[in-house]
Amino acid sequence: MKRVLVTGGAGFIGSNFVQYMLSNKENIELLVNLDALTYAGNLENLTEVQNDKRYKFVKGDIRDKELVEKLFCEYDFDTVVHFAAESHVDRSIEEPELFLTTNIVGTQTLLDAAKRHWKIQPNDKYSCDYRDGVKYLQVSTDEVYGALGETGMFTETTPLSPNSPYSASKASADLIVRAYHETYGMPVNITRCSNNYGPYQFPEKLIPLMIHNARNDKALPVYGDGMQIRDWLHVSDHCAAIATVLEKGKIGEVYNIGGNNEKANIEIVRLILAELGKPESLITYVKDRPGHDRRYAIDNTKITTELGWAPVYTFEQGIKETINWYLDNVEWVERITTGDYLNYYTKMYENI
């Protein structure tokens, strides 16, 4: 029976993963969700599991060493799945320091706590049971590899060459995770995914933003010429892949997770407009952002051949389901865009 710490479990991918694990894995004894509830963390994403006796939410920052150590001692985790990160590239250009401290120092704080609970005698400050093996999984991004030309794909051996403060902070965190494995022998894995889409994504990202704006007949801002190409991965497929790496992944290895769906941004925008019956005149081309990578593409051969995972969703199926989800959950979107979702935490947890 597994006792799992999930960081950033109120965010887009994290909340989908929490729901996936509690719905599909009978060996979960306890799943603790540690989330600071910054602008992109929303507990409404987890209403379906909030009453599950195996689930516990803790509001807190991954950089808080005292809190992280306390949680390890109190709940005796054997697994850490680290999603928590500042992740929006545009925000990283404006506030790089926030990304560096959260994504790098936060990762190191979690690694230190996991290391102390892995074959290491307790220090003088803390006294609790220590496990013989705490598996640590770092959820990373294909953006750490930089940009591709018109051909080729990222493999696990592609050199890291990040081009934004966000991707540089994630690459740094990945290298720290690798160092803890090489130096201390800690049982770790790193996964690097392509662009995710699906339900519960904060509407600053491309697909939910375009759906929201198109539904309200607002301009759809497209960077540059819109020909930036990404490999799109449905979040449900991503969650299943992470679970597969936890169960079957070889310790110390990196696994790329891709959806086999390369699409240009403008192609997705036009598809959304067509699905909603809206005119392409809503498209507004805006100045490209600094350091905007032209193309990403994931080679997922390693995880498919060695671990037996493969994406289930085609993009055509996934994008239709995603559009329908946002249309069916307009109130969720409105609460996000107005900030009213923050009231949910106050209602549910502040007085506990």
Side-chain angles (χ1 to χ4, degrees), residues 15-28 31 48-49 52 54 235-237 239-241 243-244 247:
S15 62
N16 276 279
F17 180 75
V18 169
Q19 293 189 56
Y20 176 87
M21 294 296 282
L22 292 174
S23 298
N24 293 280
K25 301 299 177 182
E26 296 180 355
N27 65 339
I28 301 295
L31 190 153
E48 293 183 12
V49 301
D52 191 315
R54 300 169 296 165
V235 67
S236 294
D237 281 333
C239 293
T244 300
E247 294 170 359

Side-chain angles (χ1 to χ4, degrees), residues 255-256 258 260 299-311:
Y255 294 94
N256 283 350
N260 301 328
D299 182 343
N300 62 14
T301 301
K302 182 176 179 179
I303 190 172
T304 57
T305 58
E306 294 185 11
L307 306 188
W309 171 88

